[in-house]
């Protein structure tokens, strides 16, 4: 609320040069690439509002921090815990006038003063350049904001120009600067601290996420302002109504005193006035009749103006244009489909090649890493052996020869045993690897079979549901239209008996029609399939009652359609606008309806009088497409269910079964039972195979576990032998070692090292070669996939345009019929007006003769007859009252003047107030519509950006806005879980949830505007993979928005960041832990 009031005040006080700024969020928006959607012109982006530097003194637990010189684009603040990262962000909020509660670090400003100090200082320098600079002649190229916080919680603000001169110390000036720069300190999209990020990350409420979105886009602030205005308007209206009651009393008092005042005139004058009024009354009646005649003549002239003919011609031309447009879209769609089919084969080939290359590359990586590890182990052994030889050479004592020979023999035996165990370990490792590969293939096969089993179960459930529906229709045919349809019909009958309907609704339509020729049932059902479950209501009140009755029986998504049309007892006369072919009937001729209402509804909504039924498909195409189509014929259906237009045709994917209009239910039941048995048999086979694969997997797991145990035992033996060898090698210095043997071992190890280095270089070369090949194939694959995705988008767009075009054709056709009907009604109205004119002309002659008898000369009529009659009656009463009594003249005049002034003043006030309220109501209606449009646009854009960012993680997800219930649900499916039904953010790991949060924040950044964005410890819960992707997304966004400033705070290393002039890293020094902990403990106290 405070933010909006600040903006409102700033707008009234701003100078003329601020008129170049953007529209407010509720005043309109355009495409996201349009410059009008940004708060500043392109030339001024990056020139105003950017943080140049920030300095902290005695702030929180830091004595001096800064000054930090921020770069104009990307800034990273890096440091360990306690180094002052979050303190900088907190100081930025406080320095720009934010409250302590906005920082989530305290409830009072005095808590930010360092323990033992009297005050804390925060200095923020903002850039102020370019054409949109704020008072550039006063402040210069930058604005310095200094905030001093005393230990008792007071705040002192100084606003200086570039040279350090104090310009103002008022909070209003700071608010004007922030409003001009579009800086929103309390907006989490501009500055997102740790606590706000954690609250959103761990929030379980969809309403909280929706509130976060509304607050970030300032939509919540707009809504609260509109509600406040609406409440104020209601209060004002109540006051106006109360004042109107007072005005009635004032008017009554005024009229009473006016009558007493006017009664003071002489009776003769009132008598003469009465006679003059009577003469005017006579000629006024004549004038009224003349006006009526003139109005009738003008009405005739107005009606006979040829507008209906022009509208008919215009509508016919629009129908032709719409048909041409649909034809063009169909041609484009066929062209795009052909291109998509041509790319499908290449896409599959590249996908398989990429998979093979990737597998080869990973295998080569394993070989390379093994060789490298072996080389490191040999070099380590060589180093230890060299140290031992050097130590033995300098050993002064001599050991006995007999002990040396025994020790050497024992070491030789132990080494042979070690070689045996190592050979056995290599064999066991190879066996373990083979079993792991076999187990992996078995699990892949198990997952594939499980998915196929699930698909078969879904198909089986659908067939069983259809079978139950058909079996239920044996006792009640209405169950064909839905399991709860008989109960709904019973509810309608009860409601009609209770008088809740004006006219009883009719339906479902499929139960109210029958086909004359059973051979045409498929064609009729294909034509009217969308209307089989539809109900007809006479008016919208009946529609609401019917919706209430449907609610207990049908879910909202599956409720039958309701069409509102006026109930009549006669079928429309379609002669002249319906198709009339000598060989083929129309749908209207083929069906029989139980009520004219059903027939008229199908004529209005489906145009059945203009649809032919032609049994043979080839004949239908020849009639509709090769020759000139029959007059008034829009389309045709065949006995097989094909739909044929004048320029295209559609065939069903499979044989069409008669579902609603008769048919043989028993035959369909038998067919469904056969399909159910096939599905069950197929499911049984899959389950047997699945159990077999599961047993094989269990057996392989048991064998693998046995091999693992053997490997562990063998490794224990190896360790024991190595320990014995090491013990013999580490005998006291008194023992003599054979230096020649050690030197031979050293030479042998050196030869192995040389051979292993050659092997490492060879495998490295092969790995680089395979990596290059993998990169080339991946690039080709991505290009083909991008082309296919683009073609898919084009196809969806063309299909949508095609549907819209066909709907427009149907709508224009209905409009043309309505205009023709209105034209006939128009002619009848003109004739009735002419008849009325003739009667009025005869009547006026009688009135003229009567008026001449009263007054031969014609009197000017400047008042209405009602007014004159009222005046005559009132004058006669006044004359009678005047004759009876007279009052005090001066008192009557004085009372009349006071009453007149009070009444006139109050009446003017109420009239002006009503005009203002009506104007405000219109403005608020328009603002509410704009607000909803803006909210819908921002939510759609936010969803698109969010999905785009999730693709970077190879995830799929969705963002669903429910503006009615004010909820926002975010679902994310990690890689490998795309087919899972549940994907709430709470099911993700901490890193994945942090990455999803970053995607959501980036989406909000794309749709909101601010000169700078601050993000605190965004990667605290991420692993290195998610952190690298998040950093890539942030840097990619900063490159697109290189004229805006970004401040990222992270405790982790930034060594992997690319070197760029746009990136500036601020490395904070590690704190003195003892002093810092003491200060933090004091701050908490």
């Amino acid at each position: 609320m405070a933010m909006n009031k600040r903006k409102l005040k700033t707008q009234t006080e701003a100078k003329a040069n601020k008129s170049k700024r953007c529209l407010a969020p509720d005043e309109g928006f355009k495409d996201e690439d349009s410059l009008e959607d940004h708060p500043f012109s392109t030339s001024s982006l990056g020139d105003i509002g950017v943080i140049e530097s920030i300095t902290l003194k005695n702030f929180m637990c830091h004595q001096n921090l800064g000054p930090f010189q921020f770069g104009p684009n990307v800034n990273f603040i890096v440091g360990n815990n306690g180094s002052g990262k979050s303190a900088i962000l907190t100081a930025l909020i406080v320095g720009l006038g934010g409250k302590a509660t906005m920082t989530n670090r305290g409830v009072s400003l005095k808590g930010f003063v360092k323990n033992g100090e009297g005050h804390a200082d925060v200095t923020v320098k903002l850039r102020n350049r370019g054409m949109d600079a704020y008072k550039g002649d006063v402040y210069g190229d930058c604005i310095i904001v200094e905030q001093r916080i005393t230990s008792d919680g007071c705040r002192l603000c100084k606003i200086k120009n570039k040279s350090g001169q104090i310009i103002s110390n008022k909070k209003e000036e700071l608010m004007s600067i922030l409003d001009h720069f579009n800086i929103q300190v309390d907006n989490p999209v501009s500055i997102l601290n740790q606590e706000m990020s954690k609250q959103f990350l761990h929030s379980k409420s969809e309403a909280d996420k929706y509130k976060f979105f509304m607050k970030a886009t300032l939509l919540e602030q707009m809504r609260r302002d509109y509600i406040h205005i609406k409440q104020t308007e209601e209060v004002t209206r109540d006051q106006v109504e109360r004042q109107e009651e007072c005005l009635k009393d004032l008017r009554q008092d005024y009229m009473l005193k006016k009558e007493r005042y006017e009664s003071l005139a002489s009776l003769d004058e009132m008598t003469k006035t009465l006679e003059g009024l009577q003469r005017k009354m006579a000629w006024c009646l004549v004038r009224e009749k003349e006006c009526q005649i003139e109005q009738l003549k003008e009405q005739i002239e107005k009606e006979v103006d040829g507008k209906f003919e022009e509208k008919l011609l215009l509508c016919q031309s629009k129908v032709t244009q719409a048909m041409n447009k649909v034809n063009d879209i169909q041609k484009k769609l066929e062209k795009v489909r052909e291109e998509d089919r041509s790319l499908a084969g290449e896409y599959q080939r590249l996908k398989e090649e990429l998979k093979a290359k990737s597998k080869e590359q990973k295998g080569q990586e394993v070989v390379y890493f093994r060789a490298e590890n072996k080389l490191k182990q040999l070099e380590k052994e060589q180093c230890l052996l060299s140290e031992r030889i050097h130590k033995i050479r300098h050993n002064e004592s001599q050991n006995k020869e007999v002990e040396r020979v025994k020790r050497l023999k024992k070491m030789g035996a132990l080494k042979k045993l070690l070689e045996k165990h190592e050979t056995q370990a290599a064999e066991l490792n190879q066996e373990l690897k083979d079993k792991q590969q076999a187990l992996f293939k078995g699990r892949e096969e198990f997952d594939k079979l499980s998915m196929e089993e699930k698909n078969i179960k879904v198909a089986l459930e659908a067939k069983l549901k259809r079978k139950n529906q058909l079996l239920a229709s044996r006792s009640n045919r209405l169950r064909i239209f839905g399991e709860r349809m008989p109960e709904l019909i019973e509810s309608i009958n009860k409601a009609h008996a209770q008088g809740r309907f004006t006219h009883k609704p009719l339906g479902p339509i499929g139960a109210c029609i029958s086909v004359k020729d059973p051979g045409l049932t498929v064609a009729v059902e294909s034509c009217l399939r969308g209307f089989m479950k539809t109900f007809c209501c006479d008016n919208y009140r009946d529609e609401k009652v019917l919706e209430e009755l449907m609610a207990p029986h049908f879910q909202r998504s599956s409720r039958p359609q309701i069409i509102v049309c006026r109930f009549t007892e006669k079928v429309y006369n379609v002669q002249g606008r319906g198709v009339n072919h000598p060989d083929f009937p129309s749908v209207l001729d083929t069906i029989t309806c139980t009520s004219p209402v059903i027939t008229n509804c199908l004529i209005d909504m489906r145009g059945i009088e203009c649809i032919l039924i032609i049994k043979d498909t080839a004949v239908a195409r020849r009639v509709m497409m090769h020759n000139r189509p029959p007059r008034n014929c829009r389309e045709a259906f065949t006995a097989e269910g094909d739909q044929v237009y004048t320029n295209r045709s559609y065939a069903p994917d499979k044989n069409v079964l008669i579902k609603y209009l008769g048919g043989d239910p028993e035959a369909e039941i038998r067919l469904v039972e056969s399909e159910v048995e096939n599905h069950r048999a197929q499911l049984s086979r899959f389950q047997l195979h699945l159990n077999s694969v599961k047993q094989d997997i269990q057996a392989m797991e048991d064998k693998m576990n046995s091999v693992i145990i053997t490997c562990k035992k063998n490794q224990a033996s190896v360790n024991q032998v190595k320990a014995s060898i090491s013990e013999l090698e580490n005998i006291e210095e008194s023992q003599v070692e054979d230096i020649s043997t050690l030197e031979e071992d050293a030479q042998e190890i050196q030869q192995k090292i040389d051979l292993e280095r050659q092997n490492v270089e060879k495998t490295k070369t092969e790995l680089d070669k395979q990596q290059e090949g993998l990169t080339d194939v991946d690039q080709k694959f991505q290009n083909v996939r991008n082309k296919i995705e683009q073609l898919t988008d084009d196809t969806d767009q063309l299909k949508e345009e095609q549907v819209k075009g066909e709907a427009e054709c149907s709508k224009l056709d209905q409009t043309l019929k309505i205009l023709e009907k209105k034209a006939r009604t128009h002619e009848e109205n003109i004739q009735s007006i002419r008849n009325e004119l003739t009667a009025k002309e005869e009547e006026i002659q009688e009135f003229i003769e009567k008026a001449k008898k009263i007054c031969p000369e014609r009197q000017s009529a400047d008042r209405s007859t009602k007014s004159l009659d009222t005046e005559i009656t009132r004058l006669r009463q006044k004359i009678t009252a005047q004759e009876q009594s007279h009052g005090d003249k001066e008192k009557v005049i004085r009372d009349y003047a006071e009453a007149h002034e009070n009444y006139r003043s109050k009446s003017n006030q109420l009239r002006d107030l009503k005009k203002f309220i009506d104007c405000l109501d219109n403005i608020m209606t328009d603002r509410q519509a704009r607000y909803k449009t803006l909210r819908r646009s921002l939510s759609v854009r936010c969803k698109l950006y969010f999905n785009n960012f999730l693709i970077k993680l190879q995830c799929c997800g969705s963002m669903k806005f429910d503006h009615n219930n004010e909820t926002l649900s975010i679902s994310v499916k990690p890689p490998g879980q795309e087919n899972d039904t549940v994907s709430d953010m709470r099911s993700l790991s901490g890193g994945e949830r942090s990455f999803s949060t970053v995607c959501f924040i980036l989406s909000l950044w794309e749709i909101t505007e601010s000169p700078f964005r601050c993000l605190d410890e965004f990667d605290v819960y991420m692993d290195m993979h998610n952190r690298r992707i998040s950093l890539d997304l942030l840097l990619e966004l900063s490159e697109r928005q290189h004229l805006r400033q970004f401040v990222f705070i992270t405790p982790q290393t930034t060594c992997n960041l690319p070197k760029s002039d746009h990136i500036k890293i601020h490395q904070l020094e590690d704190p003195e832990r003892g002093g810092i902990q003491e200060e933090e403990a004091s701050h908490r106290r």
Side-chain angles (χ1 to χ4, degrees), residues 547-565:
E547 288 179 347
E548 294 176 0
L549 297 177
M550 286 182 178
H553 303 291
F554 294 94
Q555 297 181 358
R556 182 177 293 274
S557 59
S558 60
R559 288 181 186 175
Q561 180 185 4
I562 301 175
I563 297 176
V564 178
C565 59

Side-chain angles (χ1 to χ4, degrees), residues 16 754 963:
D754 295 338
H963 297 298

Side-chain angles (χ1 to χ4, degrees), residues 102 104 184-193 196-197 200 211-218 1000-1001 1004-1005 1008 1013-1016:
M102 294 180 187
N104 290 322
Q184 303 151 11
V185 181
D186 60 342
N187 193 336
V189 172
S190 297
I191 303 176
L192 184 64
N193 54 35
M196 183 64 73
S197 177
F200 178 79
K211 290 178 181 178
F212 185 91
F213 168 79
M214 296 291 285
K215 182 178 181 181
T217 56
L218 295 183
F1000 181 61
I1001 296 301
L1004 293 177
W1005 282 2
T1008 57
R1013 277 82 180 264
C1014 301
L1015 196 58
D1016 188 9

